[in-house]
Amino acid sequence: MSVQSHETSSHRRKKSNPGLNLKNAFGATNAFGATDASGAAQGAIHAMDAVHAMDAVHAMDVVMENILAPLAVHYAEPSTVEVRMVRPGRIIVDRRGLGKSSIIDTALHQAKIEHICKALANISGVAFDPDTHPKLSCILPGVRHRFECLAGASVQSSISLAIRCKHPFTPKWSDIGTYGDTVREYLEGAVRSTHNIIVSGATNTGKTTLLNMLLNFLPDDRRVIACEDTPELEIDRFWDGVGLLAAREANTASGMIDWRPLYDHIMRVTPDHVIFGEISTQNAFAALAALNSGITGFMCTIHAESPKQALTRKFDQNIAWSGATMPHVSEFLHELVDVVVQIKRSSDGYRYITDIYEPKAGRYVMQSGAFNP
């Protein structure tokens, strides 16, 4: 019998036997076909709990939409790259192709921003208080934009806020420079050859966007393990892949673990590719440990102004700031990293690949925008 005919037959049997439906909805039946009262009660309670949970989630979504509405009017436009505040009541909006503009919005006063931060902290399982925990890093629910705010005495103007927008936008390779197709072919070959790759660039240059473009070169069946503290990597299509999240703060009671046990887990789940998000003081040591484990197909992003700075300074700096020590980091990276890609942002908001460096060969495939095959 085919699977299809079996399912049809099963469906007919269920329709002809109300007891099966009763069992699924309200619990087990006894040997005489009567419904067990305790099972029925439990089933009813579980069903009601599920409905209440869905209602609670919907209610929370509505509440958060209302709380975020004063900010959302500024980041809702799909071309918006980033929204910033440098003082209460003033918004700076950076839009792709248009650049920056300054907007007065008196509804976004200090108390309003602090109220928004407290609500976001509550649903993110982290702390925010203008006096004791004045910094908040999280994602905005629903839209998944990256939210960063520092309030209080550490800011001369009382508020420093930035929202990195994640509106659906897939740049074409022709958008990233004169040699778009040539660069794409080179990088596709590097990814498919499981080279270890670092994407380097200053803040808000499109490093994560480029990293997601590189991930598109991988087949769907690859075992991709993504490691981040804020979910930005696009790994849903990898049916044997998984995304891991590390706690940004210790003792947040969020149920999340920090980078050390996360690294131990990575090493025990047989990855084909380990993809770190942005390298920071918290995860630099774990990233280097992953590279040193003998894996290939490693990729990450890092804040640096040049490929050589990424290799000789930034990892060292992040490890030192974390309070750890590791000798000969630069030599270590030159041995294990195959490609460093440098990306920069122009004044009009567009991003361009300017340099591609091969540390093992000690040569630039691309330098200052000129391709050197």
Side-chain angles (χ1 to χ4, degrees):
M1 181 183 293
S2 69
V3 173
Q4 183 177 2
S5 62
H6 173 73
E7 289 177 348
T8 303
S9 166
S10 174
H11 179 65
R12 284 197 299 268
R13 288 197 299 273
K14 286 183 179 180
K15 287 182 67 177
S16 64
N17 187 352
L20 289 175
N21 290 330
L22 190 63
K23 176 180 177 181
N24 291 337
F26 296 108
T29 57
N30 62 25
F32 300 100
T35 305
D36 180 72
S38 62
Q42 277 191 332
I45 289 171
H46 289 323
M48 290 173 63
D49 285 346
V51 171
H52 291 158
M54 292 175 64
D55 288 344
V57 169
H58 176 69
M60 179 62 72
D61 289 344
V62 171
V63 169
M64 286 307 303
E65 283 181 10
N66 290 334
I67 291 173
L68 291 170
L71 271 176
V73 298
H74 299 289
Y75 61 67
E77 164 61 44
S79 66
T80 305
V81 176
E82 185 166 306
V83 170
R84 297 183 288 272
M85 291 186 70
V86 295
R87 60 180 51 85
R90 181 183 292 272
I91 290 280
I92 291 90
V93 179
D94 189 353
R95 291 201 169 99
R96 188 176 295 107
L98 298 175
K100 299 186 296 183
S101 61
S102 178
I103 302 168
I104 301 297
D105 188 343
T106 56
L108 290 170
H109 46 77
Q110 185 78 17
K112 174 64 73 175
I113 296 300
E114 291 178 3
H115 176 61
I116 290 172
C117 288
K118 289 175 182 177
L120 289 171
N122 284 337
I123 66 170
S124 303
V126 297
F128 177 82
D129 182 273
D131 299 317
T132 58
H133 295 88
K135 181 178 177 294
L136 177 64
S137 301
C138 65
I139 61 171
L140 298 182
V143 291
R144 305 195 73 75
H145 301 332
R146 190 165 183 169
F147 183 92
E148 178 75 25
C149 185
L150 179 63
S154 289
V155 188
Q156 293 184 29
S157 56
S158 301
I159 196 81
S160 174
L161 181 150
I163 301 172
R164 298 269 186 90
C165 295
K166 302 297 178 183
H167 292 296
F169 173 70
T170 304
K172 300 183 290 292
W173 285 97
S174 57
D175 294 334
I176 60 175
T178 307
Y179 300 93
D181 289 339
T182 306
V183 169
R184 179 191 58 77
E185 290 173 6
Y186 172 86
L187 291 177
E188 181 175 5
V191 171
R192 292 186 178 274
S193 299
T194 65
H195 286 347
N196 295 326
I197 300 172
I198 294 176
V199 177
S200 167
T203 183
N204 198 18
T205 51
K207 298 183 294 296
T208 303
T209 299
L210 177 57
L211 184 54
N212 281 322
M213 292 173 72
L214 297 180
L215 287 174
N216 285 334
F217 293 138
L218 292 174
D220 294 354
D221 63 350
R222 298 300 286 171
R223 173 74 165 153
V224 174
I225 309 296
C227 316
E228 309 172 84
D229 56 22
T230 301
E232 296 182 293
L233 297 175
E234 298 169 0
I235 60 166
D236 289 347
R237 69 181 181 86
F238 298 109
W239 49 264
D240 193 21
V242 65
L244 306 179
L245 290 175
R248 293 182 66 95
E249 302 173 13
N251 303 317
T252 60
S254 62
M256 299 168 69
I257 61 176
D258 63 23
W259 285 99
R260 178 66 66 91
L262 204 68
Y263 165 76
D264 290 339
H265 178 75
I266 294 165
M267 293 299 104
R268 289 168 172 79
V269 294
T270 322
D272 291 330
H273 302 267
V274 174
I275 315 298
F276 272 66
E278 187 176 288
I279 298 300
S280 66
T281 57
Q282 295 178 316
N283 66 10
F285 208 98
L288 288 171
L291 266 173
N292 196 38
S293 69
I295 65 170
T296 57
F298 173 91
M299 287 188 268
C300 71
T301 72
I302 193 167
H303 285 107
E305 278 298 317
S306 69
K308 290 193 174 180
Q309 187 185 86
L311 295 166
T312 60
R313 296 182 188 174
K314 296 303 292 186
F315 269 93
D316 266 326
Q317 173 184 297
N318 282 313
I319 289 172
W321 281 2
S322 72
T325 58
M326 186 175 185
H328 311 300
V329 172
S330 177
E331 292 90 336
F332 170 73
L333 289 171
H334 276 82
E335 290 177 4
L336 293 176
V337 175
D338 297 288
V339 178
V340 182
V341 185
Q342 187 72 32
I343 186 168
K344 296 187 176 181
R345 176 167 57 102
S346 65
S347 58
D348 61 3
Y350 286 96
R351 278 74 170 164
Y352 303 96
I353 291 177
T354 58
D355 302 89
I356 300 175
Y357 182 65
E358 296 179 344
K360 292 180 181 179
R363 77 180 189 105
Y364 279 93
V365 175
M366 184 178 191
Q367 189 170 23
S368 300
F371 200 81
N372 306 304

Short mmCIF file of all heavy atoms in Angstrom, two decimals, residues 122-176:
data_model
loop_
_atom_site.label_atom_id
_atom_site.label_comp_id
_atom_site.label_asym_id
_atom_site.label_seq_id
_atom_site.Cartn_x
_atom_site.Cartn_y
_atom_site.Cartn_z
N ASN A 122 13.31 43.83 29.72
CA ASN A 122 12.43 42.83 30.34
C ASN A 122 12.19 41.64 29.43
O ASN A 122 12.26 40.49 29.85
CB ASN A 122 11.10 43.47 30.73
CG ASN A 122 11.21 44.33 31.98
OD1 ASN A 122 12.12 44.14 32.79
ND2 ASN A 122 10.30 45.26 32.14
N ILE A 123 11.90 41.90 28.15
CA ILE A 123 11.60 40.78 27.25
C ILE A 123 12.88 40.09 26.77
O ILE A 123 12.80 38.97 26.25
CB ILE A 123 10.77 41.24 26.04
CG1 ILE A 123 11.55 42.20 25.15
CG2 ILE A 123 9.46 41.87 26.48
CD1 ILE A 123 10.87 42.48 23.82
N SER A 124 14.04 40.72 26.95
CA SER A 124 15.31 40.13 26.52
C SER A 124 16.01 39.38 27.65
O SER A 124 17.03 38.72 27.42
CB SER A 124 16.26 41.22 25.98
OG SER A 124 15.66 41.92 24.92
N GLY A 125 15.49 39.51 28.88
CA GLY A 125 16.10 38.82 30.01
C GLY A 125 17.39 39.43 30.48
O GLY A 125 18.26 38.73 31.01
N VAL A 126 17.57 40.73 30.25
CA VAL A 126 18.77 41.43 30.71
C VAL A 126 18.35 42.61 31.58
O VAL A 126 17.16 42.90 31.73
CB VAL A 126 19.64 41.91 29.52
CG1 VAL A 126 20.16 40.73 28.73
CG2 VAL A 126 18.85 42.84 28.62
N ALA A 127 19.35 43.28 32.15
CA ALA A 127 19.07 44.38 33.07
C ALA A 127 19.25 45.72 32.37
O ALA A 127 20.11 45.89 31.53
CB ALA A 127 19.98 44.30 34.28
N PHE A 128 18.39 46.67 32.73
CA PHE A 128 18.59 48.07 32.35
C PHE A 128 18.08 48.96 33.46
O PHE A 128 16.94 48.81 33.93
CB PHE A 128 17.89 48.44 31.05
CG PHE A 128 18.05 49.91 30.71
CD1 PHE A 128 19.20 50.35 30.08
CD2 PHE A 128 17.08 50.84 31.08
CE1 PHE A 128 19.37 51.71 29.82
CE2 PHE A 128 17.24 52.19 30.81
CZ PHE A 128 18.40 52.63 30.18
N ASP A 129 18.92 49.87 33.88
CA ASP A 129 18.55 50.90 34.84
C ASP A 129 19.47 52.09 34.59
O ASP A 129 20.69 51.92 34.50
CB ASP A 129 18.72 50.40 36.28
CG ASP A 129 18.28 51.44 37.30
OD1 ASP A 129 19.13 52.29 37.67
OD2 ASP A 129 17.11 51.40 37.73
N PRO A 130 18.93 53.30 34.44
CA PRO A 130 19.77 54.46 34.12
C PRO A 130 20.90 54.70 35.11
O PRO A 130 21.92 55.29 34.74
CB PRO A 130 18.77 55.63 34.12
CG PRO A 130 17.44 55.00 33.87
CD PRO A 130 17.50 53.65 34.53
N ASP A 131 20.73 54.25 36.34
CA ASP A 131 21.75 54.49 37.37
C ASP A 131 22.70 53.32 37.57
O ASP A 131 23.91 53.53 37.76
CB ASP A 131 21.07 54.81 38.71
CG ASP A 131 20.21 56.06 38.63
OD1 ASP A 131 20.67 57.05 38.02
OD2 ASP A 131 19.08 56.04 39.15
N THR A 132 22.19 52.09 37.52
CA THR A 132 23.03 50.94 37.85
C THR A 132 23.41 50.07 36.65
O THR A 132 24.47 49.46 36.64
CB THR A 132 22.31 50.05 38.89
OG1 THR A 132 21.05 49.62 38.35
CG2 THR A 132 22.09 50.82 40.18
N HIS A 133 22.56 50.01 35.63
CA HIS A 133 22.84 49.25 34.41
C HIS A 133 22.42 50.10 33.21
O HIS A 133 21.41 49.83 32.55
CB HIS A 133 22.08 47.92 34.39
CG HIS A 133 22.48 46.97 35.45
ND1 HIS A 133 21.90 46.96 36.71
CD2 HIS A 133 23.43 45.99 35.47
CE1 HIS A 133 22.46 46.01 37.43
NE2 HIS A 133 23.40 45.41 36.72
N PRO A 134 23.19 51.16 32.88
CA PRO A 134 22.72 52.14 31.89
C PRO A 134 22.93 51.75 30.43
O PRO A 134 22.56 52.50 29.55
CB PRO A 134 23.56 53.38 32.22
CG PRO A 134 24.84 52.82 32.78
CD PRO A 134 24.46 51.57 33.52
N LYS A 135 23.51 50.57 30.17
CA LYS A 135 23.78 50.16 28.79
C LYS A 135 22.91 48.97 28.42
O LYS A 135 22.79 48.01 29.18
CB LYS A 135 25.25 49.78 28.62
CG LYS A 135 25.64 49.37 27.21
CD LYS A 135 27.14 49.06 27.15
CE LYS A 135 27.55 48.56 25.76
NZ LYS A 135 26.94 47.26 25.43
N LEU A 136 22.28 49.03 27.23
CA LEU A 136 21.43 47.95 26.75
C LEU A 136 21.79 47.59 25.32
O LEU A 136 21.86 48.45 24.45
CB LEU A 136 19.95 48.37 26.81
CG LEU A 136 18.94 47.35 26.27
CD1 LEU A 136 18.94 46.08 27.10
CD2 LEU A 136 17.54 47.96 26.20
N SER A 137 22.02 46.31 25.09
CA SER A 137 22.25 45.77 23.74
C SER A 137 21.27 44.63 23.53
O SER A 137 21.26 43.67 24.31
CB SER A 137 23.69 45.25 23.60
OG SER A 137 24.63 46.26 23.84
N CYS A 138 20.45 44.72 22.49
CA CYS A 138 19.44 43.67 22.25
C CYS A 138 18.95 43.79 20.81
O CYS A 138 19.48 44.59 20.03
CB CYS A 138 18.29 43.81 23.24
SG CYS A 138 17.32 45.32 23.05
N ILE A 139 17.96 42.98 20.48
CA ILE A 139 17.31 43.12 19.17
C ILE A 139 15.87 43.55 19.39
O ILE A 139 15.27 43.24 20.42
CB ILE A 139 17.37 41.81 18.36
CG1 ILE A 139 16.66 40.67 19.10
CG2 ILE A 139 18.79 41.44 18.00
CD1 ILE A 139 16.49 39.43 18.27
N LEU A 140 15.33 44.27 18.43
CA LEU A 140 13.94 44.70 18.51
C LEU A 140 13.03 43.55 18.08
O LEU A 140 13.26 42.94 17.03
CB LEU A 140 13.70 45.91 17.62
CG LEU A 140 14.48 47.18 17.97
CD1 LEU A 140 14.10 48.31 17.03
CD2 LEU A 140 14.25 47.59 19.41
N PRO A 141 12.03 43.21 18.88
CA PRO A 141 11.16 42.08 18.54
C PRO A 141 10.42 42.31 17.24
O PRO A 141 10.04 43.43 16.91
CB PRO A 141 10.19 42.03 19.73
CG PRO A 141 10.22 43.40 20.33
CD PRO A 141 11.60 43.91 20.10
N GLY A 142 10.25 41.22 16.49
CA GLY A 142 9.52 41.30 15.23
C GLY A 142 10.41 41.69 14.06
O GLY A 142 10.63 40.91 13.14
N VAL A 143 10.97 42.89 14.12
CA VAL A 143 11.78 43.38 13.00
C VAL A 143 13.23 42.95 13.10
O VAL A 143 13.97 42.99 12.12
CB VAL A 143 11.71 44.92 12.92
CG1 VAL A 143 10.33 45.36 12.49
CG2 VAL A 143 12.09 45.57 14.24
N ARG A 144 13.69 42.59 14.31
CA ARG A 144 15.04 42.07 14.57
C ARG A 144 16.14 43.08 14.25
O ARG A 144 17.26 42.72 13.94
CB ARG A 144 15.28 40.75 13.82
CG ARG A 144 14.25 39.69 14.14
CD ARG A 144 14.69 38.32 13.70
NE ARG A 144 15.73 37.78 14.54
CZ ARG A 144 15.56 37.29 15.76
NH1 ARG A 144 14.35 37.29 16.31
NH2 ARG A 144 16.56 36.81 16.44
N HIS A 145 15.82 44.37 14.32
CA HIS A 145 16.87 45.38 14.21
C HIS A 145 17.73 45.34 15.47
O HIS A 145 17.26 44.99 16.56
CB HIS A 145 16.27 46.78 14.05
CG HIS A 145 15.39 46.93 12.85
ND1 HIS A 145 15.53 46.19 11.70
CD2 HIS A 145 14.33 47.78 12.63
CE1 HIS A 145 14.62 46.56 10.82
NE2 HIS A 145 13.87 47.51 11.36
N ARG A 146 18.97 45.72 15.33
CA ARG A 146 19.91 45.68 16.45
C ARG A 146 19.86 47.00 17.21
O ARG A 146 20.09 48.07 16.64
CB ARG A 146 21.32 45.40 15.96
CG ARG A 146 22.31 45.10 17.06
CD ARG A 146 23.57 44.47 16.49
NE ARG A 146 24.50 44.11 17.55
CZ ARG A 146 25.57 43.37 17.35
NH1 ARG A 146 25.85 42.91 16.13
NH2 ARG A 146 26.39 43.08 18.34
N PHE A 147 19.59 46.91 18.50
CA PHE A 147 19.36 48.09 19.34
C PHE A 147 20.50 48.25 20.34
O PHE A 147 20.85 47.31 21.03
CB PHE A 147 18.02 47.92 20.08
CG PHE A 147 17.62 49.10 20.94
CD1 PHE A 147 16.83 50.12 20.45
CD2 PHE A 147 18.05 49.18 22.27
CE1 PHE A 147 16.44 51.18 21.25
CE2 PHE A 147 17.68 50.23 23.07
CZ PHE A 147 16.86 51.25 22.56
N GLU A 148 21.06 49.44 20.40
CA GLU A 148 22.15 49.74 21.33
C GLU A 148 21.90 51.10 21.96
O GLU A 148 21.69 52.09 21.25
CB GLU A 148 23.49 49.75 20.60
CG GLU A 148 24.70 50.10 21.44
CD GLU A 148 25.14 48.97 22.36
OE1 GLU A 148 24.84 47.80 22.05
OE2 GLU A 148 25.78 49.27 23.39
N CYS A 149 21.90 51.14 23.29
CA CYS A 149 21.64 52.41 23.97
C CYS A 149 22.48 52.54 25.23
O CYS A 149 22.64 51.57 25.99
CB CYS A 149 20.16 52.53 24.33
SG CYS A 149 19.71 54.13 25.04
N LEU A 150 23.03 53.73 25.43
CA LEU A 150 23.72 54.08 26.66
C LEU A 150 23.08 55.37 27.17
O LEU A 150 22.99 56.36 26.44
CB LEU A 150 25.21 54.29 26.42
CG LEU A 150 26.06 54.69 27.62
CD1 LEU A 150 26.04 53.60 28.70
CD2 LEU A 150 27.49 54.98 27.19
N ALA A 151 22.61 55.34 28.41
CA ALA A 151 21.92 56.50 28.98
C ALA A 151 22.58 56.88 30.29
O ALA A 151 23.32 56.11 30.89
CB ALA A 151 20.44 56.17 29.21
N GLY A 152 22.29 58.11 30.74
CA GLY A 152 22.74 58.51 32.06
C GLY A 152 24.05 59.28 32.08
O GLY A 152 24.45 59.92 31.10
N ALA A 153 24.75 59.18 33.20
CA ALA A 153 25.89 60.04 33.48
C ALA A 153 27.09 59.80 32.56
O ALA A 153 27.95 60.67 32.42
CB ALA A 153 26.32 59.85 34.94
N SER A 154 27.18 58.63 31.92
CA SER A 154 28.31 58.36 31.03
C SER A 154 28.19 59.05 29.69
O SER A 154 29.12 59.00 28.88
CB SER A 154 28.46 56.85 30.82
OG SER A 154 28.93 56.21 31.98
N VAL A 155 27.04 59.69 29.42
CA VAL A 155 26.83 60.40 28.16
C VAL A 155 26.62 61.88 28.47
O VAL A 155 25.70 62.23 29.22
CB VAL A 155 25.60 59.85 27.40
CG1 VAL A 155 25.52 60.47 26.01
CG2 VAL A 155 25.66 58.34 27.31
N GLN A 156 27.44 62.74 27.92
CA GLN A 156 27.35 64.18 28.22
C GLN A 156 25.98 64.74 27.85
O GLN A 156 25.46 65.62 28.53
CB GLN A 156 28.44 64.93 27.47
CG GLN A 156 29.85 64.61 27.97
CD GLN A 156 30.90 65.45 27.28
OE1 GLN A 156 30.64 66.58 26.85
NE2 GLN A 156 32.10 64.91 27.16
N SER A 157 25.41 64.23 26.75
CA SER A 157 24.10 64.73 26.30
C SER A 157 22.95 63.84 26.78
O SER A 157 21.85 63.94 26.26
CB SER A 157 24.08 64.83 24.78
OG SER A 157 24.41 63.58 24.19
N SER A 158 23.22 62.94 27.72
CA SER A 158 22.22 62.09 28.39
C SER A 158 21.83 60.83 27.65
O SER A 158 21.37 59.86 28.25
CB SER A 158 20.94 62.87 28.72
OG SER A 158 21.22 63.96 29.56
N ILE A 159 21.98 60.82 26.33
CA ILE A 159 21.54 59.63 25.58
C ILE A 159 22.45 59.40 24.37
O ILE A 159 22.84 60.34 23.68
CB ILE A 159 20.07 59.77 25.12
CG1 ILE A 159 19.49 58.43 24.71
CG2 ILE A 159 19.92 60.75 24.00
CD1 ILE A 159 19.04 57.61 25.87
N SER A 160 22.81 58.12 24.15
CA SER A 160 23.51 57.72 22.93
C SER A 160 22.85 56.43 22.46
O SER A 160 22.95 55.39 23.12
CB SER A 160 25.00 57.48 23.20
OG SER A 160 25.63 56.95 22.04
N LEU A 161 22.16 56.50 21.34
CA LEU A 161 21.34 55.37 20.87
C LEU A 161 21.60 55.12 19.39
O LEU A 161 21.77 56.06 18.61
CB LEU A 161 19.86 55.68 21.12
CG LEU A 161 18.81 54.64 20.74
CD1 LEU A 161 17.61 54.75 21.66
CD2 LEU A 161 18.34 54.80 19.29
N ALA A 162 21.64 53.85 19.01
CA ALA A 162 21.76 53.48 17.60
C ALA A 162 20.94 52.23 17.33
O ALA A 162 20.99 51.27 18.11
CB ALA A 162 23.22 53.24 17.23
N ILE A 163 20.19 52.25 16.24
CA ILE A 163 19.42 51.09 15.80
C ILE A 163 19.93 50.70 14.41
O ILE A 163 19.75 51.45 13.44
CB ILE A 163 17.91 51.39 15.75
CG1 ILE A 163 17.41 51.81 17.13
CG2 ILE A 163 17.14 50.17 15.25
CD1 ILE A 163 15.97 52.32 17.12
N ARG A 164 20.58 49.55 14.32
CA ARG A 164 21.04 49.02 13.04
C ARG A 164 19.88 48.26 12.41
O ARG A 164 19.44 47.24 12.90
CB ARG A 164 22.21 48.06 13.24
CG ARG A 164 23.44 48.69 13.86
CD ARG A 164 24.38 49.21 12.80
NE ARG A 164 25.61 49.67 13.43
CZ ARG A 164 26.66 48.89 13.65
NH1 ARG A 164 26.62 47.60 13.32
NH2 ARG A 164 27.75 49.38 14.21
N CYS A 165 19.40 48.76 11.30
CA CYS A 165 18.20 48.18 10.68
C CYS A 165 18.54 46.97 9.83
O CYS A 165 19.54 46.97 9.10
CB CYS A 165 17.49 49.23 9.84
SG CYS A 165 16.85 50.61 10.83
N LYS A 166 17.69 45.95 9.93
CA LYS A 166 17.87 44.71 9.18
C LYS A 166 16.72 44.51 8.19
O LYS A 166 16.18 43.42 8.07
CB LYS A 166 17.95 43.53 10.15
CG LYS A 166 19.06 43.64 11.17
CD LYS A 166 20.42 43.66 10.53
CE LYS A 166 21.53 43.81 11.54
NZ LYS A 166 22.86 43.89 10.91
N HIS A 167 16.34 45.58 7.52
CA HIS A 167 15.30 45.45 6.50
C HIS A 167 15.77 44.49 5.41
O HIS A 167 16.96 44.45 5.09
CB HIS A 167 14.99 46.81 5.87
CG HIS A 167 14.34 47.78 6.81
ND1 HIS A 167 13.11 47.56 7.36
CD2 HIS A 167 14.76 48.99 7.30
CE1 HIS A 167 12.78 48.58 8.14
NE2 HIS A 167 13.78 49.45 8.13
N PRO A 168 14.85 43.70 4.85
CA PRO A 168 15.25 42.79 3.78
C PRO A 168 15.94 43.55 2.65
O PRO A 168 15.37 44.45 2.04
CB PRO A 168 13.91 42.20 3.31
CG PRO A 168 13.01 42.32 4.49
CD PRO A 168 13.42 43.60 5.18
N PHE A 169 17.19 43.19 2.40
CA PHE A 169 17.97 43.85 1.35
C PHE A 169 19.10 42.91 0.97
O PHE A 169 19.93 42.56 1.81
CB PHE A 169 18.53 45.19 1.83
CG PHE A 169 19.46 45.83 0.83
CD1 PHE A 169 18.99 46.35 -0.35
CD2 PHE A 169 20.83 45.90 1.09
CE1 PHE A 169 19.85 46.93 -1.27
CE2 PHE A 169 21.70 46.49 0.19
CZ PHE A 169 21.21 47.01 -1.00
N THR A 170 19.09 42.48 -0.28
CA THR A 170 20.15 41.60 -0.76
C THR A 170 20.91 42.32 -1.85
O THR A 170 20.44 42.41 -3.00
CB THR A 170 19.57 40.28 -1.31
OG1 THR A 170 18.78 39.66 -0.29
CG2 THR A 170 20.69 39.34 -1.72
N PRO A 171 22.07 42.88 -1.52
CA PRO A 171 22.83 43.59 -2.55
C PRO A 171 23.35 42.63 -3.61
O PRO A 171 23.60 41.45 -3.34
CB PRO A 171 23.98 44.21 -1.74
CG PRO A 171 24.11 43.36 -0.52
CD PRO A 171 22.74 42.87 -0.21
N LYS A 172 23.48 43.12 -4.81
CA LYS A 172 24.07 42.34 -5.89
C LYS A 172 25.58 42.49 -5.84
O LYS A 172 26.10 43.51 -5.35
CB LYS A 172 23.52 42.81 -7.24
CG LYS A 172 22.00 42.66 -7.37
CD LYS A 172 21.51 43.07 -8.74
CE LYS A 172 21.63 44.58 -8.96
NZ LYS A 172 20.70 45.34 -8.10
N TRP A 173 26.28 41.50 -6.34
CA TRP A 173 27.74 41.59 -6.33
C TRP A 173 28.24 42.76 -7.15
O TRP A 173 29.29 43.32 -6.88
CB TRP A 173 28.35 40.26 -6.81
CG TRP A 173 28.24 39.19 -5.77
CD1 TRP A 173 27.29 38.22 -5.69
CD2 TRP A 173 29.08 39.03 -4.63
NE1 TRP A 173 27.50 37.45 -4.58
CE2 TRP A 173 28.59 37.91 -3.91
CE3 TRP A 173 30.21 39.69 -4.16
CZ2 TRP A 173 29.19 37.46 -2.74
CZ3 TRP A 173 30.81 39.25 -2.99
CH2 TRP A 173 30.31 38.15 -2.29
N SER A 174 27.44 43.16 -8.14
CA SER A 174 27.83 44.33 -8.95
C SER A 174 27.75 45.62 -8.15
O SER A 174 28.29 46.65 -8.57
CB SER A 174 26.93 44.43 -10.19
OG SER A 174 25.56 44.50 -9.81
N ASP A 175 27.06 45.58 -6.99
CA ASP A 175 26.94 46.78 -6.16
C ASP A 175 28.18 47.05 -5.32
O ASP A 175 28.30 48.13 -4.73
CB ASP A 175 25.74 46.64 -5.19
CG ASP A 175 24.41 46.60 -5.91
OD1 ASP A 175 24.34 47.15 -7.03
OD2 ASP A 175 23.46 46.00 -5.36
N ILE A 176 29.07 46.07 -5.21
CA ILE A 176 30.17 46.19 -4.25
C ILE A 176 31.50 46.58 -4.88
O ILE A 176 32.53 46.49 -4.24
CB ILE A 176 30.34 44.90 -3.45
CG1 ILE A 176 30.66 43.74 -4.38
CG2 ILE A 176 29.09 44.60 -2.64
CD1 ILE A 176 30.97 42.46 -3.65
#
